[in-house]
């Protein structure tokens, strides 16, 4: 039987565990648009409780929870401030502009991290010619910023500045629980600085589908209206909420294993000539550059793939690996051994042609 590849392309590739499948199979169901799916209600209650907020709303994706987060804080002609490499700005098709008539204004961060001083003077004066600055969006952990945990004091200061100036705050917490586990700061403490928080169940937590937007009762009531208009109101949604509920109950603490595994990969990359680690991982994301002498990142990805390890090219010279629930320590150690061998393959020119479409 052919051996399965070690799939490090993303933490979204996990498949439900046997116990999670059982939870899905036996979940009580109802019509969630009518508000009576007990599994969705249980998930929403637990998500709100874990984040220390009044309410939450289940949706199919992190893109939708982010975009509805923007939608409830901004009107057409408003803008939000964010970090230049954040997901909301770069990887959601500018949906805030397409769907809500809103503009995103990026500030340049250091691997996803902004300093409070950068916000000074960023609020536009009230003037018929200008956009209205309404919202600050942060991302924690920061995907493109090597899964970095935001410095807590900066987050606190940025959000205090925003609130002092009448702005709202939204957190893209697709990997907030990674940040909580890595920092020892609870998810609710991180969330306390934000008006709304988006969390994803389908990333590190290992559920097949789903995200939640969490916030005050009033903002979630408003979000519910928009979810309907965006096409995200689902009927017997407990079928998927059950996986998310199981993930929230059982898969948070184990994220520390993924972080330890990322460190094993990072050490192997650091020890390999021709590869340059962006930074030691705080959490489960490892990003490195491939020396141009070895060829483009796509060749590196192809050499790894030929040796049974899947990673993702994030740019012409940049590769990302993400650890998760479906990669064991043995798999990670296998990948760590394959990395220097793949570089050798590139040096000796024996790699097959890169056939993978560019993913960046
Ligand atoms: C930081 C971040 N936010 C939001 C999303 C969007 O999530 P989804 O793919 O569920 O739309 C992702 C997806 O990878 C992400 O990494």
């Amino acid at each position: 039987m052919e051996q399965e590849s070690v799939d490090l392309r993303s933490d979204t590739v996990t498949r439900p565990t046997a116990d999670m499948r059982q939870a899905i199979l036996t979940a009580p169901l109802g019509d969630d648009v009518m508000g009576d799916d007990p599994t969705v209600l249980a998930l929403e209650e637990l998500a709100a409780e874990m984040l220390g907020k009044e309410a939450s709303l289940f949706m199919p994706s992190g893109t939708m929870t982010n975009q509805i987060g923007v939608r409830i804080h901004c009107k057409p002609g408003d803008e939000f401030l964010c970090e230049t490499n954040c997901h909301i700005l770069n990887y959601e098709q500018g949906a805030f502009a397409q769907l809500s008539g809103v503009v995103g204004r990026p500030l340049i961060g250091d691997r996803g991290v902004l300093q409070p001083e950068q916000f000074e003077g960023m609020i536009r004066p009230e003037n018929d010619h200008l956009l209205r600055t309404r919202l600050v969006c942060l991302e924690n952990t920061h995907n493109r910023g090597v899964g970095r945990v935001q410095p807590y004091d900066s987050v606190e200061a940025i959000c205090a500045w925003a609130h002092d100036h009448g702005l709202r705050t939204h957190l893209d917490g697709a990997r907030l629980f990674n940040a909580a586990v890595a920092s020892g700061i609870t998810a609710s403490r991180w969330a306390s600085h934000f008006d709304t928080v988006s969390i994803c169940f389908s990333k590190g937590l290992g559920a097949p589908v789903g995200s939640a937007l969490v916030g005050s009762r009033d903002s979630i009531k408003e979000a519910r209206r928009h979810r309907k208009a965006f096409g995200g109101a689902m009927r017997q949604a407990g079928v998927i909420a059950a996986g998310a509920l199981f993930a929230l109950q059982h898969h948070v603490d184990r994220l520390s294993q993924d972080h330890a595994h990322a460190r094993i990969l990072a050490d192997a990359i650091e020890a390999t000539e021709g590869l340059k680690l962006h930074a030691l991982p705080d959490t489960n994301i490892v990003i490195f550059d491939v020396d141009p002498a070895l060829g483009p990142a796509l060749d590196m990805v192809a050499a790894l793939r030929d040796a049974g390890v899947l990673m993702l090219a994030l740019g012409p010279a940049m590769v990302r690996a993400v650890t998760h629930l479906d990669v064991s320590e043995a798999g990670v150690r296998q990948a760590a051994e394959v990395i220097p061998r793949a570089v050798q393959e590139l040096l000796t020119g024996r790699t097959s042609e890169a056939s993978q479409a560019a993913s960046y």
Side-chain angles (χ1 to χ4, degrees):
M1 199 177 78
E2 206 181 307
Q3 213 188 341
E4 211 174 311
S5 296
V6 179
D7 193 345
L8 298 164
R9 290 171 301 164
S10 173
D11 50 8
T12 58
V13 301
T14 56
R15 274 153 293 187
T17 61
D19 287 345
M20 187 185 280
R21 283 174 197 263
Q22 191 57 30
I24 291 169
L25 204 61
T26 55
L29 304 175
D31 186 330
D32 183 51
V33 178
M34 300 196 193
D36 56 27
D37 185 303
T39 307
V40 173
L41 293 175
L43 171 67
E44 290 175 342
E45 195 180 325
L46 181 61
E49 184 192 315
M50 286 172 83
L51 268 69
K53 300 284 188 203
E54 287 176 351
S56 90
L57 189 66
F58 185 53
M59 301 192 205
S61 72
T63 299
M64 190 180 281
T65 42
N66 276 335
Q67 293 302 328
I68 291 182
V70 171
R71 175 71 159 245
I72 61 177
H73 300 308
C74 297
K75 293 200 297 286
D78 288 350
E79 70 174 355
F80 63 88
L81 304 174
C82 62
E83 196 279 328
T84 192
N85 284 314
C86 73
H87 199 279
I88 294 183
L89 190 70
N90 293 281
Y91 302 108
E92 300 178 9
Q93 256 190 48
F96 47 83
Q98 296 196 52
L99 305 174
S100 303
V102 172
V103 171
R105 186 170 176 205
L107 310 181
I108 295 176
D110 172 18
R111 298 203 193 292
V113 171
L114 293 170
Q115 298 305 325
E117 312 77 74
Q118 291 180 263
F119 287 83
E120 293 300 337
M122 293 306 292
I123 299 178
R124 297 180 197 268
E126 182 65 35
N127 177 317
D128 279 357
H129 295 88
L130 303 177
L131 291 158
R132 283 183 165 141
T133 314
R134 288 288 189 211
L135 173 69
V136 169
C137 294
L138 298 180
E139 183 174 316
N140 196 18
T141 66
H142 196 291
N143 183 344
R144 275 261 169 166
V146 200
R148 213 171 150 188
V149 179
Q150 296 285 344
Y152 184 80
D153 292 348
S154 300
V155 168
E156 188 175 36
I158 291 166
C159 293
W161 172 88
H163 290 138
D164 286 350
H165 290 82
L167 307 190
R168 298 280 190 86
T169 55
H170 171 78
L171 176 65
D172 179 352
R175 297 182 180 81
L176 178 61
F177 289 104
N178 293 84
V181 166
S183 64
I185 297 169
T186 59
S188 64
R189 209 166 148 221
W190 284 110
S192 68
H193 302 292
F194 295 89
D195 296 299
T196 49
V197 181
S198 158
I199 53 170
C200 290
F201 307 112
S202 63
K203 313 231 161 35
L205 296 182
V209 185
S211 294
L213 185 68
V214 192
S216 68
R217 204 165 280 114
D218 283 349
S219 53
I220 295 307
K221 188 169 172 219
E222 191 64 11
R224 198 174 174 91
R225 272 191 70 78
H226 295 303
R227 183 184 69 171
K228 184 71 183 156
F230 280 40
M234 299 173 283
R235 299 294 175 177
Q236 282 70 41
V239 169
I240 51 176
L245 181 58
F246 186 92
L248 213 44
Q249 288 165 332
H250 300 281
H251 291 170
V252 173
D253 291 343
R254 63 150 307 283
L255 290 170
S256 58
Q257 291 170 31
D258 297 344
H259 302 170
H261 291 168
R263 195 54 195 260
I264 294 171
L265 285 179
D267 288 346
I269 290 159
E270 212 172 23
T272 305
E273 211 169 320
L275 304 183
K276 187 163 175 6
L277 203 58
H278 279 206
L280 282 176
D282 281 353
T283 56
N284 66 332
I285 298 180
V286 181
I287 300 181
F288 59 96
D289 286 334
V290 181
D291 191 317
L294 296 173
L298 285 172
D299 282 2
M300 178 69 191
V301 166
L304 289 164
R305 187 197 56 214
D306 290 350
V309 174
L310 305 182
M311 294 190 192
L312 211 58
L314 280 197
M318 203 194 297
V319 177
R320 186 187 76 176
V322 187
T323 55
H324 53 76
L325 183 63
D326 281 6
V327 180
S328 63
E329 183 178 337
V332 166
R333 294 206 178 278
Q334 184 190 331
E337 273 177 32
V338 159
I339 289 164
R341 285 210 319 256
V343 167
Q344 275 309 311
E345 293 282 315
L346 291 175
L347 283 171
T348 53
R350 280 187 283 131
T351 314
S352 63
E353 277 296 298
S355 57
Q356 183 198 327
S359 50
Y360 43 84

